[in-house]
Amino acid sequence: MSRGRLTAVFLALGLGFLWMPVLLLAGYAFSADRIPFQWGGFSLRWFGVLAANERLVEAALLSLRVAFGAATLAVLLGGTFGWVLARRGPFRGRAIFGALAGAPLVLPDVVIGLALLLFFVLLQSGLGWPAERGATTILLAHATIGAAYAAVLVQARLAELAPELEEAARDLGATPATAFRTVTLPLMAPSLAAGWLLAFTLSLDDVVVASFVSGPAGTTLPMQVFSMLRLGLTPEINALACVILLLGGVALAAALLLQAGLRRRTRAD
Amino acid sequence: MRRLLPLAGGAWLAGFVAAPLLVVLVLAISTAAEGVPPFDLPWIGGISLDAFSLVLTDGFYVESLGGALLVAGGAATLCLLLAFPMALGLTRARPTWRGPLLFALLLPFWTGFLPRIGAWIGLLRDEGWVNTVLENLGLISAPLPLLYSWPALFLGMLHAYLPFAVLPLYASLSRRDPVLEEAAADLGATPWTVFFSVTLPLAIPGAAAAFLLVFIPAAGEYVIPELLGPPGTPMVGRVLWQEFFQNRDWPTAAALAVLLLALLLAPIRLFQRLGTRR
């Protein structure tokens, strides 16, 4: 067997390993049996049960709200970090700025969660804010994490663009604000969109940080699913995984298309 | 704007990244107390090194720190061993296939972390898919205790982190110049010699990045050992969670976080240096 074939076999094995559990999980969502992963004939009943589970639906709605807000804030913050690191030039504290902007990428979730929770608790006892922990504190935590990822994307995008583009706009009489709005921002847009999607998914997927910084008022979808999984698997989770798989596929396709568009535009530059 | 943006961004980073990390340090030298929140800050209860001395002398905590590093190292090694031929396969695939293959690599990663862990529970538990299939084939008479075991823990880790390991390897392998390998072959090297003397050394920075990209988050992992691992898995992420949520011993949890960070500092620095060099 040639080496080309051998690596192809490994690639197929690896992809099969990644896909098999996911496909089985989603496939058995259509089984009528109440024991997960037992085939009891085709049925859509678990999707109905899923939709009727008020706690799960409520948690999903909270998660979507938090993820939407966190991703939007993360793009504003990450855009700022990325621009400062790529374009602002040297300033005092730039090294610390860069280290702090990148820190959430490398800190374990338990450490980020614990640190932010302790911070919120001290803020509350000192300033009386945040009065209670829940959606707001999760949103702020997720925005901080998502911003680090968005910053990497924005910084990489700006680094491959010639600064002369903005300088040309300035030479032609544009104010800095106009040059930013008409030249830099449109060029940054694909990386901002990709950063938004990434921050949105990270927020929807996080259970550890959310568990730390949340209070009794805020149970996100992953927190709810986690407490269900602790007791074992139920067919509702199969159905939920099926729904997530569909949405995830759409989101990833969108992200890949964005990236392809970004590459094409870069080549055109 | 040149002044405002660094200030605004810096203010957020100081508030939401630097300050919380400092607070963990302060908490680690605070005293545990009855009440809400369950601690007295050093300027009220005095500086206390109790949490650190407990964590550093009690074998349970030391073992959880060592266990986490061992498990993370094992998981990263497993990921690397499978990811390397996969990444090589990706670079050798026809260009038109590469996009769909990358899509296939990343989609399971976007299906949600918890559902994927749930899938392993469904596969491995006593009345799960694997045991049912084996029983129907007549290979076993009683279900094998597959779930809540070390192999289940490592399978879950491999499944969760494999795409992280493939991507940096693929990036570094696809940048290599095929001329180098062709030259070695023209000069009479066998395919395996070409692999070990040219391909493998060229991939070392990518392999190191892949290893660390798995090792760093795996060392603090909580969910996978909790849902798939053996009962009482000695991993610091789990122990920290327990100290915090069940025992409500916040200073001990903070001390564990500080020690975990101290242990991860060298791998993190190495990872960042690899990142800036590329």
Side-chain angles (χ1 to χ4, degrees):
Chain A
M1 191 155 57
S2 81
R3 280 184 311 128
R5 287 246 185 81
L6 192 63
T7 54
V9 167
F10 269 105
L11 186 58
L13 278 176
L15 289 177
F17 169 72
L18 285 175
W19 274 94
M20 181 207 52
V22 176
L23 288 181
L24 281 173
L25 188 72
Y28 276 101
F30 299 97
S31 159
D33 206 298
R34 66 171 43 254
I35 302 173
F37 284 58
Q38 299 280 344
W39 189 252
F42 181 85
S43 157
L44 292 175
R45 65 184 279 211
W46 298 114
F47 291 91
V49 173
L50 178 70
N53 186 331
E54 270 175 37
R55 280 173 118 179
L56 263 183
V57 172
E58 213 173 282
L61 290 177
L62 177 75
S63 270
L64 284 174
R65 270 197 351 251
V66 166
F68 192 88
T72 309
L73 186 53
V75 162
L76 289 173
L77 290 167
T80 306
F81 301 159
W83 184 85
V84 167
L85 289 169
R87 283 288 193 270
R88 170 59 174 76
F91 60 93
R92 261 178 58 196
R94 188 184 181 282
I96 298 177
F97 189 99
L100 289 175
L105 301 173
V106 288
L107 294 177
D109 285 350
V110 285
V111 175
I112 299 182
L114 180 69
L116 282 168
L117 171 81
L118 296 176
F119 174 67
F120 287 134
V121 166
L122 286 193
L123 268 191
Q124 188 182 20
S125 61
L127 305 172
W129 180 91
E132 60 163 19
R133 291 187 295 279
T136 311
T137 45
I138 303 174
L139 191 154
L140 291 171
H142 285 175
T144 303
I145 298 169
Y149 288 84
V152 171
L153 296 174
V154 170
Q155 193 187 352
R157 174 69 179 156
L158 285 173
E160 65 187 22
L161 292 172
E164 288 82 13
L165 293 170
E166 291 144 59
E167 283 158 23
R170 298 287 311 277
D171 288 346
L172 292 169
T175 62
T178 311
F180 180 80
R181 196 166 40 82
T182 56
V183 178
T184 317
L185 199 58
L187 290 170
M188 276 165 77
S191 64
L192 292 175
W196 191 93
L197 265 179
L198 189 56
F200 186 78
T201 346
L202 285 169
S203 169
L204 273 188
D205 218 20
D206 166 67
V207 55
V208 172
V209 175
S211 299
F212 272 101
V213 300
S214 184
T219 304
T220 62
L221 183 63
M223 287 165 71
Q224 182 66 30
V225 172
F226 181 64
S227 67
M228 287 165 78
L229 281 178
R230 270 194 153 147
L231 304 174
L233 190 65
T234 61
E236 282 169 279
I237 297 181
N238 286 60
L240 181 66
C242 207
V243 174
I244 296 177
L245 186 69
L246 243 130
L247 296 178
V250 172
L252 181 62
L256 287 177
L257 285 177
L258 263 174
Q259 219 179 21
L262 192 126
R263 228 174 281 135
R264 221 170 302 128
R265 280 173 68 166
T266 315
R267 242 178 261 134
D269 292 339
Chain B
M1 205 166 65
R2 291 177 58 79
R3 277 161 177 269
L4 190 68
L5 283 185
L7 273 179
W12 182 279
L13 291 173
F16 284 90
V17 182
L21 288 174
L22 277 179
V23 171
V24 175
L25 260 181
V26 171
L27 242 284
I29 53 168
S30 299
T31 38
E34 297 287 323
V36 180
F39 58 84
D40 286 328
L41 289 168
W43 44 92
I44 296 162
I47 292 179
S48 153
L49 293 177
D50 289 356
F52 276 115
S53 73
L54 173 73
V55 165
L56 286 172
T57 52
D58 190 321
F60 173 71
Y61 299 105
V62 178
E63 203 184 310
S64 82
L65 285 162
L69 295 186
L70 278 177
V71 170
T77 308
L78 279 176
C79 283
L80 206 54
L81 287 177
L82 184 52
F84 194 89
M86 285 177 73
L88 210 52
L90 270 175
T91 63
R92 286 175 179 161
R94 271 189 224 119
T96 45
W97 275 91
R98 259 175 234 157
L101 283 171
L102 278 174
F103 185 82
L105 179 75
L106 291 178
L107 183 59
F109 175 61
W110 282 52
T111 53
F113 173 61
L114 285 172
R116 281 182 296 143
I117 302 294
W120 284 104
I121 297 179
L123 286 173
L124 298 176
R125 55 199 187 114
D126 284 358
E127 60 277 34
W129 197 79
V130 173
N131 272 320
T132 312
V133 168
L134 288 178
E135 268 176 80
N136 289 344
L137 290 173
L139 292 172
I140 52 170
S141 52
L144 300 169
L146 301 171
L147 190 59
Y148 308 125
S149 66
W150 287 105
L153 170 64
F154 280 104
L155 274 176
M157 290 267 197
L158 185 62
H159 197 241
Y161 290 115
L162 184 61
F164 288 109
V166 176
L167 289 180
L169 276 169
Y170 170 66
S172 88
L173 282 170
S174 61
R175 261 199 307 268
R176 76 191 195 280
D177 193 342
V179 169
L180 294 170
E181 284 163 356
E182 283 159 24
D186 288 347
L187 293 169
T190 65
W192 285 108
T193 315
V194 174
F195 177 77
F196 282 109
S197 58
V198 180
T199 315
L200 202 57
L202 283 174
I204 283 175
F211 185 91
L212 293 169
L213 209 51
V214 177
F215 181 85
I216 294 166
E221 185 59 54
Y222 162 72
V223 174
I224 301 177
E226 179 71 15
L227 290 181
L228 299 177
T233 313
M235 284 185 72
V236 63
R238 255 193 82 254
V239 173
L240 191 161
W241 181 286
Q242 240 167 21
E243 290 300 333
F244 185 82
F245 285 102
Q246 270 116 56
N247 302 346
R248 284 184 67 75
D249 187 343
W250 292 16
T252 300
L256 280 171
V258 171
L259 288 177
L260 173 62
L261 271 191
L263 289 172
L264 287 182
L265 214 53
I268 288 173
R269 289 296 299 274
L270 185 60
F271 177 69
Q272 285 170 334
R273 273 183 47 203
L274 284 168
T276 48
R277 216 177 53 186
R278 275 186 295 152

